[in-house]
Amino acid sequence: EVVLTQSPAFQSVTPKEKVTITCRASQSIANSLHWFQQKPDQSPKLLIKYASQSFSGVPSRFSGSGSGTDFTLTINSLETEDAATYYCHQSSSLPYTFGQGTKLEIK
Amino acid sequence: QVQLVQSGAEVRKPGASVKLSCKTSGYTFTSDFMHWVRQAPGQGLEWMGILNPSDGTTSYTQKFQGRLTMTRDTSTSTAYMELSSLRSEDTAVYYCARSLYGDSSRWGQGTLVTVSS
């Protein structure tokens, strides 16, 4: 199965900062990489699909890039409401898998 | 509006089975795949498997082979997930999710399953 490795696992950031989270796949997955946000005690929500396509209603400060094995989620001008855990997810080959998550703390 | 409403919390003893439901409304149930994802306390997301509501075909993570069964009832637009031979490590919140990474992505609210003797 495809293993997704996220970094960092935890990051403490201040509002208005730019944040970059990376996700590396154990084999090429083309652009079949998606990003989810999960806030405490909530269900996850889709942010970015197919590496760089924004999901409907997601603020423009969220963007994604990458292909093959290396992917990035960027949050420009972080807001306090962005405190959450972020997960990458691949749908290139079964079984689908998630990264281990990146927890963002807002200082 | 689109809704995925999951059944309530369950408590089971080790070795027992649990069957969870995910009742949908507001869209054509057979139009999108349904995924099941679980999250152990304080842990990350784990993809369990996928169901095609249109024809009932499924694919499961190898880890759950033999213990996991996903089914659906098209007459009530409901998806089901049954996990057998439960162990303490199966204690988790279980989510159903429509079209996980598609334009109509939507998750249920989750169901907590506690496995304890």
Side-chain angles (χ1 to χ4, degrees), chain A residues 29-65:
Chain A
I29 56 172
N31 70 335
S32 298
L33 190 286
H34 321 285
W35 292 96
F36 291 86
Q37 176 194 64
Q38 185 180 32
K39 296 182 179 180
D41 299 318
Q42 293 186 17
S43 301
K45 294 179 181 177
L46 181 63
L47 288 177
I48 302 289
K49 56 188 177 80
Y50 294 102
S52 61
Q53 299 174 24
S54 293
F55 184 60
S56 176
V58 172
S60 59
R61 63 182 179 274
F62 292 92
S63 63
S65 64

Side-chain angles (χ1 to χ4, degrees), chain A residues 85-97:
Chain A
T85 302
Y86 294 82
Y87 296 92
C88 57
H89 167 75
Q90 68 83 21
S91 62
S92 174
S93 61
L94 292 166
Y96 298 161
T97 49

Side-chain angles (χ1 to χ4, degrees), chain B residues 72-85:
Chain B
R72 90 291 191 219
D73 182 343
T74 57
S75 68
T76 60
S77 299
T78 302
Y80 298 92
M81 189 282 294
E82 184 170 19
L83 191 61
S84 62
S85 303

Side-chain angles (χ1 to χ4, degrees), chain B residues 31-96:
Chain B
S31 66
D32 289 314
F33 287 93
M34 189 69 76
H35 302 247
W36 288 86
V37 175
R38 76 176 186 179
Q39 185 170 38
Q43 302 301 308
L45 302 174
E46 180 176 27
W47 187 86
M48 299 178 69
I50 187 172
L51 165 73
N52 183 347
S54 179
D55 60 10
T57 55
T58 57
S59 180
Y60 309 139
T61 296
Q62 178 71 25
K63 173 180 179 178
F64 299 107
Q65 291 289 353
R67 293 205 299 140
L68 178 59
T69 305
M70 295 179 185
T71 57
R72 90 291 191 219
D73 182 343
T74 57
S75 68
T76 60
S77 299
T78 302
Y80 298 92
M81 189 282 294
E82 184 170 19
L83 191 61
S84 62
S85 303
L86 290 168
R87 33 218 192 221
S88 59
E89 310 90 87
D90 294 318
T91 293
V93 175
Y94 291 77
Y95 295 99
C96 60

Side-chain angles (χ1 to χ4, degrees), chain B residues 2-52:
Chain B
V2 173
Q3 287 192 304
L4 281 71
V5 179
Q6 297 187 234
S7 47
E10 303 274 8
V11 179
R12 293 286 186 274
K13 294 189 184 305
S17 297
V18 70
K19 187 173 184 178
L20 309 182
S21 66
C22 173
K23 183 167 177 57
T24 73
S25 60
Y27 75 99
T28 302
F29 177 63
T30 53
S31 66
D32 289 314
F33 287 93
M34 189 69 76
H35 302 247
W36 288 86
V37 175
R38 76 176 186 179
Q39 185 170 38
Q43 302 301 308
L45 302 174
E46 180 176 27
W47 187 86
M48 299 178 69
I50 187 172
L51 165 73
N52 183 347

